[in-house]
Amino acid sequence: MKVADIVGGLIGIFTGLWVLWTSSNMPADVVMKIGPGFFPSMLAGGLILFSGALLVKAIQGKSKGRLESRQWSDVGVRRGLITLCAAILFVAVMEPLGFIPTSIVFLTFMMWVLGKRNPLLIGLVPTLITAGVWLVFEKLLHLSMPPGVLDSLL
């Protein structure tokens, strides 16, 4: 487990540093001084902090647990791969299609992948979550989300 924790800690630190570097190149908002890079920078800082803690514990020999092998036939592995592919597709189509329709479809699909089959919940939860996120970012924080196909309506 020690080697896995060291590798995981290093991957987390380098990923956090990459996000910090990328988000520092995003333009600052003139009015609020909080630009689109604020939240990714905060998350990257947390990722670096906790990855560093994992790395230190592994180096000190305080790693816990044991490494278990996984098979492609495991449900969790398949769900993880499906989630990764869906997240990549979500990011790829968000700009042209827009945040609202893309997020509703993504969340609906993820609920289905995770085994939620109640039609009322599948129809309601993604719509409410997407509307809530859109309202917070667009109206409260004045950060623009990609309008996409809804550009004329928003």
Side-chain angles (χ1 to χ4, degrees):
M1 193 66 182
K2 179 180 179 180
V3 174
D5 285 349
I6 290 173
V7 171
L10 288 174
I11 289 172
I13 288 172
F14 286 120
T15 301
L17 290 173
W18 178 77
V19 170
L20 277 178
W21 178 72
T22 303
S23 61
S24 69
N25 293 326
M26 294 179 178
D29 190 288
V30 178
V31 177
M32 293 188 59
K33 305 296 182 202
I34 296 176
F38 177 75
F39 288 110
S41 297
M42 295 294 292
L43 293 174
L47 180 62
I48 292 170
L49 178 71
F50 290 113
S51 296
L54 179 66
L55 188 62
V56 168
K57 285 185 78 170
I59 291 172
Q60 291 175 338
K62 296 180 179 177
S63 295
K64 294 182 178 176
R66 59 187 173 100
L67 195 58
E68 297 177 11
S69 65
R70 297 285 181 200
Q71 302 294 323
W72 290 107
S73 59
D74 291 345
V75 174
V77 171
R78 284 185 284 167
R79 283 183 178 164
L81 290 174
I82 290 171
T83 301
L84 177 64
C85 292
I88 290 170
L89 183 63
F90 171 74
V91 170
V93 299
M94 187 189 324
E95 186 72 31
L97 296 180
F99 173 76
I100 293 174
T102 307
S103 295
I104 290 173
V105 170
F106 175 74
L107 291 174
T108 302
F109 178 72
M110 291 312 304
M111 287 180 70
W112 182 80
V113 166
L114 294 174
K116 302 298 179 194
R117 298 292 190 266
N118 184 329
L120 180 63
L121 287 179
I122 287 180
L124 200 58
V125 170
T127 304
L128 291 176
I129 289 174
T130 301
V133 170
W134 185 83
L135 285 171
V136 167
F137 279 89
E138 278 286 332
K139 301 303 177 189
L140 294 177
L141 298 175
H142 301 287
L143 298 173
S144 63
M145 306 294 274
V149 295
L150 300 177
D151 191 21
S152 61
L153 299 174
L154 300 176

